[in-house]
Amino acid sequence: RNAFGFDPHLDEITLHPASYFPYHEASMNLTFQGKKIHLLHRQTGKKRIILFNGNELSLKDEKNGQRKNIASIPVSLLQTENTIEIID
């Protein structure tokens, strides 16, 4: 959970991945509120993007400035099977 930054809440999933990831690629599968989620983190040497089911999410910084490049996914958008890709 910590390296991927997967932070589930009742109404949304917040993603705040670590700024450094020690592997070229890693993935995990989980179930949240009965929905399957495949999480993939990949190093490419490019600027971070986060994709949810193929669509790029907008990234923001928290107001207090502690976490950078975070994204949120409303639970209402979850399908039966989902993919979240973190590409750095």
Side-chain angles (χ1 to χ4, degrees), residues 27-38:
S27 66
M28 71 181 203
N29 294 306
L30 53 102
T31 301
F32 176 67
Q33 294 189 2
K35 310 290 184 175
K36 293 180 181 181
I37 299 173
H38 177 71

Side-chain angles (χ1 to χ4, degrees), residues 3-14:
F4 287 96
F6 185 83
D7 190 9
H9 301 276
L10 288 176
D11 59 347
E12 73 177 3
I13 296 169
T14 304

Side-chain angles (χ1 to χ4, degrees), residues 63-77:
K63 291 178 185 173
N64 63 12
Q66 287 185 313
R67 295 180 182 157
K68 308 242 184 242
N69 294 324
I70 63 172
S72 297
I73 301 169
V75 169
S76 61
L77 295 181

Side-chain angles (χ1 to χ4, degrees), residues 26-70:
S27 66
M28 71 181 203
N29 294 306
L30 53 102
T31 301
F32 176 67
Q33 294 189 2
K35 310 290 184 175
K36 293 180 181 181
I37 299 173
H38 177 71
L39 237 98
L40 172 68
H41 193 195
R42 201 170 0 148
Q43 298 284 352
T44 63
K46 297 179 182 175
K47 184 178 176 183
R48 172 172 287 170
I49 62 170
I50 299 178
L51 303 174
F52 172 61
N53 293 335
N55 298 306
E56 188 171 347
L57 299 174
S58 48
L59 303 178
K60 60 185 177 190
D61 296 342
E62 279 186 333
K63 291 178 185 173
N64 63 12
Q66 287 185 313
R67 295 180 182 157
K68 308 242 184 242
N69 294 324
I70 63 172

